[in-house]
PDB file of all heavy atoms in Angstrom:
ATOM      1  N   ASN A  12      -1.336  32.767  45.282  1.00 91.00           N
ATOM      2  CA  ASN A  12      -0.968  32.295  46.653  1.00 91.00           C
ATOM      3  C   ASN A  12      -0.421  30.793  46.522  1.00 91.00           C
ATOM      4  O   ASN A  12       0.571  30.550  47.209  1.00 91.00           O
ATOM      5  CB  ASN A  12      -2.283  32.279  47.468  1.00 91.00           C
ATOM      6  CG  ASN A  12      -2.790  33.633  47.840  1.00 91.00           C
ATOM      7  OD1 ASN A  12      -2.165  34.425  48.491  1.00 91.00           O
ATOM      8  ND2 ASN A  12      -3.968  34.011  47.406  1.00 91.00           N
ATOM      9  N   THR A  13      -1.002  29.975  45.772  1.00 90.00           N
ATOM     10  CA  THR A  13      -0.503  28.632  45.475  1.00 90.00           C
ATOM     11  C   THR A  13       0.970  28.690  45.005  1.00 90.00           C
ATOM     12  O   THR A  13       1.810  27.987  45.541  1.00 90.00           O
ATOM     13  CB  THR A  13      -1.409  27.885  44.477  1.00 90.00           C
ATOM     14  OG1 THR A  13      -2.785  27.744  45.070  1.00 90.00           O
ATOM     15  CG2 THR A  13      -0.851  26.473  44.286  1.00 90.00           C
ATOM     16  N   SER A  14       1.156  29.547  43.998  1.00 91.00           N
ATOM     17  CA  SER A  14       2.526  29.688  43.412  1.00 91.00           C
ATOM     18  C   SER A  14       3.534  30.130  44.525  1.00 91.00           C
ATOM     19  O   SER A  14       4.692  29.650  44.601  1.00 91.00           O
ATOM     20  CB  SER A  14       2.483  30.822  42.360  1.00 91.00           C
ATOM     21  OG  SER A  14       1.738  30.402  41.312  1.00 91.00           O
ATOM     22  N   ALA A  15       3.196  31.194  45.340  1.00 96.00           N
ATOM     23  CA  ALA A  15       4.239  31.645  46.314  1.00 96.00           C
ATOM     24  C   ALA A  15       4.468  30.595  47.379  1.00 96.00           C
ATOM     25  O   ALA A  15       5.599  30.407  47.772  1.00 96.00           O
ATOM     26  CB  ALA A  15       3.568  32.847  46.951  1.00 96.00           C
ATOM     27  N   TRP A  16       3.477  29.830  47.828  1.00 97.00           N
ATOM     28  CA  TRP A  16       3.715  28.692  48.768  1.00 97.00           C
ATOM     29  C   TRP A  16       4.650  27.599  48.088  1.00 97.00           C
ATOM     30  O   TRP A  16       5.477  27.085  48.782  1.00 97.00           O
ATOM     31  CB  TRP A  16       2.351  28.111  49.151  1.00 97.00           C
ATOM     32  CG  TRP A  16       2.435  27.065  50.250  1.00 97.00           C
ATOM     33  CD1 TRP A  16       2.073  25.792  50.130  1.00 97.00           C
ATOM     34  CD2 TRP A  16       3.046  27.090  51.532  1.00 97.00           C
ATOM     35  NE1 TRP A  16       2.344  25.067  51.320  1.00 97.00           N
ATOM     36  CE2 TRP A  16       2.914  25.848  52.152  1.00 97.00           C
ATOM     37  CE3 TRP A  16       3.629  28.180  52.280  1.00 97.00           C
ATOM     38  CZ2 TRP A  16       3.381  25.665  53.427  1.00 97.00           C
ATOM     39  CZ3 TRP A  16       4.121  27.890  53.500  1.00 97.00           C
ATOM     40  CH2 TRP A  16       4.072  26.642  54.114  1.00 97.00           C
ATOM     41  N   LYS A  17       4.421  27.394  46.827  1.00 95.00           N
ATOM     42  CA  LYS A  17       5.272  26.361  46.125  1.00 95.00           C
ATOM     43  C   LYS A  17       6.721  26.922  46.152  1.00 95.00           C
ATOM     44  O   LYS A  17       7.681  26.093  46.358  1.00 95.00           O
ATOM     45  CB  LYS A  17       4.836  26.199  44.692  1.00 95.00           C
ATOM     46  CG  LYS A  17       5.699  25.210  44.011  1.00 95.00           C
ATOM     47  CD  LYS A  17       5.209  25.113  42.516  1.00 95.00           C
ATOM     48  CE  LYS A  17       6.086  24.027  41.783  1.00 95.00           C
ATOM     49  NZ  LYS A  17       5.760  23.982  40.275  1.00 95.00           N
ATOM     50  N   GLY A  18       6.897  28.175  46.113  1.00 97.00           N
ATOM     51  CA  GLY A  18       8.264  28.805  46.129  1.00 97.00           C
ATOM     52  C   GLY A  18       8.935  28.517  47.432  1.00 97.00           C
ATOM     53  O   GLY A  18      10.142  28.212  47.505  1.00 97.00           O
ATOM     54  N   LEU A  19       8.202  28.605  48.501  1.00 98.00           N
ATOM     55  CA  LEU A  19       8.663  28.369  49.932  1.00 98.00           C
ATOM     56  C   LEU A  19       9.003  26.909  50.041  1.00 98.00           C
ATOM     57  O   LEU A  19      10.065  26.557  50.576  1.00 98.00           O
ATOM     58  CB  LEU A  19       7.635  28.835  50.978  1.00 98.00           C
ATOM     59  CG  LEU A  19       7.464  30.395  51.224  1.00 98.00           C
ATOM     60  CD1 LEU A  19       6.492  30.516  52.407  1.00 98.00           C
ATOM     61  CD2 LEU A  19       8.767  31.018  51.434  1.00 98.00           C
ATOM     62  N   GLN A  20       8.179  26.051  49.519  1.00 98.00           N
ATOM     63  CA  GLN A  20       8.346  24.658  49.551  1.00 98.00           C
ATOM     64  C   GLN A  20       9.668  24.262  48.898  1.00 98.00           C
ATOM     65  O   GLN A  20      10.412  23.417  49.238  1.00 98.00           O
ATOM     66  CB  GLN A  20       7.128  23.955  49.068  1.00 98.00           C
ATOM     67  CG  GLN A  20       5.925  23.988  49.941  1.00 98.00           C
ATOM     68  CD  GLN A  20       4.683  23.338  49.225  1.00 98.00           C
ATOM     69  OE1 GLN A  20       4.393  23.672  48.120  1.00 98.00           O
ATOM     70  NE2 GLN A  20       3.832  22.612  50.044  1.00 98.00           N
ATOM     71  N   GLU A  21       9.843  24.900  47.626  1.00 98.00           N
ATOM     72  CA  GLU A  21      11.014  24.600  46.889  1.00 98.00           C
ATOM     73  C   GLU A  21      12.328  25.090  47.590  1.00 98.00           C
ATOM     74  O   GLU A  21      13.355  24.454  47.518  1.00 98.00           O
ATOM     75  CB  GLU A  21      10.901  25.209  45.481  1.00 98.00           C
ATOM     76  CG  GLU A  21       9.854  24.634  44.622  1.00 98.00           C
ATOM     77  CD  GLU A  21      10.181  23.167  44.292  1.00 98.00           C
ATOM     78  OE1 GLU A  21      11.375  22.813  44.152  1.00 98.00           O
ATOM     79  OE2 GLU A  21       9.159  22.417  44.155  1.00 98.00           O
ATOM     80  N   ALA A  22      12.200  26.295  48.350  1.00 98.00           N
ATOM     81  CA  ALA A  22      13.380  26.751  49.055  1.00 98.00           C
ATOM     82  C   ALA A  22      13.634  25.739  50.205  1.00 98.00           C
ATOM     83  O   ALA A  22      14.975  25.551  50.488  1.00 98.00           O
ATOM     84  CB  ALA A  22      12.992  28.143  49.619  1.00 98.00           C
ATOM     85  N   LYS A  23      12.769  25.170  50.818  1.00 97.00           N
ATOM     86  CA  LYS A  23      12.913  24.251  51.912  1.00 97.00           C
ATOM     87  C   LYS A  23      13.650  22.994  51.384  1.00 97.00           C
ATOM     88  O   LYS A  23      14.470  22.444  52.018  1.00 97.00           O
ATOM     89  CB  LYS A  23      11.596  23.960  52.580  1.00 97.00           C
ATOM     90  CG  LYS A  23      11.613  22.949  53.709  1.00 97.00           C
ATOM     91  CD  LYS A  23      10.198  22.709  54.141  1.00 97.00           C
ATOM     92  CE  LYS A  23      10.114  21.559  55.254  1.00 97.00           C
ATOM     93  NZ  LYS A  23      10.987  21.763  56.383  1.00 97.00           N
ATOM     94  N   LYS A  24      13.183  22.541  50.194  1.00 97.00           N
ATOM     95  CA  LYS A  24      13.804  21.408  49.634  1.00 97.00           C
ATOM     96  C   LYS A  24      15.361  21.638  49.213  1.00 97.00           C
ATOM     97  O   LYS A  24      16.072  20.716  49.476  1.00 97.00           O
ATOM     98  CB  LYS A  24      13.162  21.040  48.262  1.00 97.00           C
ATOM     99  CG  LYS A  24      11.748  20.332  48.389  1.00 97.00           C
ATOM    100  CD  LYS A  24      11.218  20.009  47.071  1.00 97.00           C
ATOM    101  CE  LYS A  24       9.762  19.580  47.149  1.00 97.00           C
ATOM    102  NZ  LYS A  24       9.170  19.286  45.770  1.00 97.00           N
ATOM    103  N   GLU A  25      15.648  22.739  48.894  1.00 97.00           N
ATOM    104  CA  GLU A  25      16.998  23.072  48.583  1.00 97.00           C
ATOM    105  C   GLU A  25      17.824  23.319  49.926  1.00 97.00           C
ATOM    106  O   GLU A  25      18.989  23.012  49.941  1.00 97.00           O
ATOM    107  CB  GLU A  25      17.117  24.456  47.820  1.00 97.00           C
ATOM    108  CG  GLU A  25      18.599  24.784  47.353  1.00 97.00           C
ATOM    109  CD  GLU A  25      18.595  25.612  46.053  1.00 97.00           C
ATOM    110  OE1 GLU A  25      17.856  25.402  45.145  1.00 97.00           O
ATOM    111  OE2 GLU A  25      19.474  26.557  46.058  1.00 97.00           O
ATOM    112  N   ASN A  26      17.255  23.840  50.883  1.00 97.00           N
ATOM    113  CA  ASN A  26      17.986  24.173  52.194  1.00 97.00           C
ATOM    114  C   ASN A  26      17.067  23.659  53.335  1.00 97.00           C
ATOM    115  O   ASN A  26      16.212  24.322  53.683  1.00 97.00           O
ATOM    116  CB  ASN A  26      18.327  25.638  52.281  1.00 97.00           C
ATOM    117  CG  ASN A  26      19.049  25.972  53.594  1.00 97.00           C
ATOM    118  OD1 ASN A  26      19.107  25.099  54.450  1.00 97.00           O
ATOM    119  ND2 ASN A  26      19.520  27.146  53.756  1.00 97.00           N
ATOM    120  N   ASP A  27      17.412  22.455  53.817  1.00 95.00           N
ATOM    121  CA  ASP A  27      16.520  21.879  54.860  1.00 95.00           C
ATOM    122  C   ASP A  27      16.598  22.557  56.236  1.00 95.00           C
ATOM    123  O   ASP A  27      16.021  22.175  57.181  1.00 95.00           O
ATOM    124  CB  ASP A  27      16.672  20.352  54.999  1.00 95.00           C
ATOM    125  CG  ASP A  27      18.033  19.940  55.590  1.00 95.00           C
ATOM    126  OD1 ASP A  27      18.840  20.892  55.848  1.00 95.00           O
ATOM    127  OD2 ASP A  27      18.220  18.761  55.647  1.00 95.00           O
ATOM    128  N   ASN A  28      17.441  23.602  56.325  1.00 97.00           N
ATOM    129  CA  ASN A  28      17.513  24.511  57.460  1.00 97.00           C
ATOM    130  C   ASN A  28      16.433  25.504  57.492  1.00 97.00           C
ATOM    131  O   ASN A  28      16.258  26.284  58.445  1.00 97.00           O
ATOM    132  CB  ASN A  28      18.837  25.118  57.672  1.00 97.00           C
ATOM    133  CG  ASN A  28      19.259  25.419  59.138  1.00 97.00           C
ATOM    134  OD1 ASN A  28      18.963  24.610  59.987  1.00 97.00           O
ATOM    135  ND2 ASN A  28      19.713  26.623  59.260  1.00 97.00           N
ATOM    136  N   ILE A  29      15.665  25.615  56.375  1.00 98.00           N
ATOM    137  CA  ILE A  29      14.563  26.623  56.282  1.00 98.00           C
ATOM    138  C   ILE A  29      13.261  25.881  56.761  1.00 98.00           C
ATOM    139  O   ILE A  29      12.897  24.905  56.318  1.00 98.00           O
ATOM    140  CB  ILE A  29      14.482  27.072  54.807  1.00 98.00           C
ATOM    141  CG1 ILE A  29      15.720  27.714  54.348  1.00 98.00           C
ATOM    142  CG2 ILE A  29      13.220  27.900  54.714  1.00 98.00           C
ATOM    143  CD1 ILE A  29      15.674  28.151  52.905  1.00 98.00           C
ATOM    144  N   ASP A  30      12.637  26.625  57.672  1.00 98.00           N
ATOM    145  CA  ASP A  30      11.321  26.205  58.073  1.00 98.00           C
ATOM    146  C   ASP A  30      10.312  27.168  57.484  1.00 98.00           C
ATOM    147  O   ASP A  30      10.563  28.337  57.370  1.00 98.00           O
ATOM    148  CB  ASP A  30      11.113  26.394  59.728  1.00 98.00           C
ATOM    149  CG  ASP A  30      11.661  25.199  60.450  1.00 98.00           C
ATOM    150  OD1 ASP A  30      12.003  24.137  59.753  1.00 98.00           O
ATOM    151  OD2 ASP A  30      11.790  25.235  61.637  1.00 98.00           O
ATOM    152  N   ILE A  31       9.172  26.576  57.050  1.00 98.00           N
ATOM    153  CA  ILE A  31       8.162  27.401  56.427  1.00 98.00           C
ATOM    154  C   ILE A  31       6.776  27.321  57.042  1.00 98.00           C
ATOM    155  O   ILE A  31       6.482  26.117  57.545  1.00 98.00           O
ATOM    156  CB  ILE A  31       8.058  27.186  54.835  1.00 98.00           C
ATOM    157  CG1 ILE A  31       7.634  25.637  54.602  1.00 98.00           C
ATOM    158  CG2 ILE A  31       9.311  27.420  54.233  1.00 98.00           C
ATOM    159  CD1 ILE A  31       7.405  25.380  53.126  1.00 98.00           C
ATOM    160  N   LYS A  32       5.966  28.298  57.038  1.00 97.00           N
ATOM    161  CA  LYS A  32       4.610  28.208  57.535  1.00 97.00           C
ATOM    162  C   LYS A  32       3.855  29.412  56.787  1.00 97.00           C
ATOM    163  O   LYS A  32       4.404  30.282  56.261  1.00 97.00           O
ATOM    164  CB  LYS A  32       4.570  28.477  59.045  1.00 97.00           C
ATOM    165  CG  LYS A  32       5.023  29.778  59.547  1.00 97.00           C
ATOM    166  CD  LYS A  32       4.777  29.959  61.103  1.00 97.00           C
ATOM    167  CE  LYS A  32       5.698  29.055  61.863  1.00 97.00           C
ATOM    168  NZ  LYS A  32       5.656  29.486  63.261  1.00 97.00           N
ATOM    169  N   ASN A  33       2.577  29.191  56.804  1.00 97.00           N
ATOM    170  CA  ASN A  33       1.686  30.221  56.296  1.00 97.00           C
ATOM    171  C   ASN A  33       0.420  30.447  57.147  1.00 97.00           C
ATOM    172  O   ASN A  33      -0.010  29.523  57.946  1.00 97.00           O
ATOM    173  CB  ASN A  33       1.257  29.899  54.886  1.00 97.00           C
ATOM    174  CG  ASN A  33       0.231  28.769  54.795  1.00 97.00           C
ATOM    175  OD1 ASN A  33      -0.939  28.871  55.155  1.00 97.00           O
ATOM    176  ND2 ASN A  33       0.672  27.541  54.315  1.00 97.00           N
ATOM    177  N   VAL A  34      -0.129  31.633  56.961  1.00 97.00           N
ATOM    178  CA  VAL A  34      -1.392  31.929  57.651  1.00 97.00           C
ATOM    179  C   VAL A  34      -2.233  32.471  56.583  1.00 97.00           C
ATOM    180  O   VAL A  34      -1.831  33.272  55.610  1.00 97.00           O
ATOM    181  CB  VAL A  34      -1.237  32.869  58.837  1.00 97.00           C
ATOM    182  CG1 VAL A  34      -0.821  34.255  58.446  1.00 97.00           C
ATOM    183  CG2 VAL A  34      -2.607  33.030  59.613  1.00 97.00           C
ATOM    184  N   GLN A  35      -3.591  32.080  56.557  1.00 96.00           N
ATOM    185  CA  GLN A  35      -4.468  32.549  55.466  1.00 96.00           C
ATOM    186  C   GLN A  35      -5.394  33.685  55.878  1.00 96.00           C
ATOM    187  O   GLN A  35      -6.030  33.563  56.982  1.00 96.00           O
ATOM    188  CB  GLN A  35      -5.324  31.356  55.018  1.00 96.00           C
ATOM    189  CG  GLN A  35      -4.416  30.175  54.557  1.00 96.00           C
ATOM    190  CD  GLN A  35      -5.217  29.034  53.854  1.00 96.00           C
ATOM    191  OE1 GLN A  35      -5.911  29.256  52.894  1.00 96.00           O
ATOM    192  NE2 GLN A  35      -4.986  27.875  54.391  1.00 96.00           N
ATOM    193  N   SER A  36      -5.468  34.701  55.087  1.00 95.00           N
ATOM    194  CA  SER A  36      -6.321  35.848  55.316  1.00 95.00           C
ATOM    195  C   SER A  36      -7.630  35.679  54.795  1.00 95.00           C
ATOM    196  O   SER A  36      -7.818  35.150  53.707  1.00 95.00           O
ATOM    197  CB  SER A  36      -5.729  37.170  54.674  1.00 95.00           C
ATOM    198  OG  SER A  36      -4.351  37.295  55.078  1.00 95.00           O
ATOM    199  N   LYS A  37      -8.596  35.892  55.710  1.00 93.00           N
ATOM    200  CA  LYS A  37     -10.131  35.650  55.246  1.00 93.00           C
ATOM    201  C   LYS A  37     -10.692  36.998  54.762  1.00 93.00           C
ATOM    202  O   LYS A  37     -11.726  36.991  54.134  1.00 93.00           O
ATOM    203  CB  LYS A  37     -10.861  35.128  56.495  1.00 93.00           C
ATOM    204  CG  LYS A  37     -10.486  33.794  56.849  1.00 93.00           C
ATOM    205  CD  LYS A  37     -10.848  32.731  55.798  1.00 93.00           C
ATOM    206  CE  LYS A  37     -10.717  31.250  56.373  1.00 93.00           C
ATOM    207  NZ  LYS A  37     -11.092  30.402  55.309  1.00 93.00           N
ATOM    208  N   ALA A  38     -10.037  38.129  55.149  1.00 93.00           N
ATOM    209  CA  ALA A  38     -10.513  39.435  54.785  1.00 93.00           C
ATOM    210  C   ALA A  38      -9.381  40.415  54.827  1.00 93.00           C
ATOM    211  O   ALA A  38      -8.347  40.132  55.465  1.00 93.00           O
ATOM    212  CB  ALA A  38     -11.634  39.874  55.759  1.00 93.00           C
TER     213      ALA A  38
END
């Protein structure tokens, strides 16, 4: 999960037109 979120953050760094968000599953 940490790795995938880092990928989204890196994509945003490369293209600042990208907005990112996450929601966390508890079950």
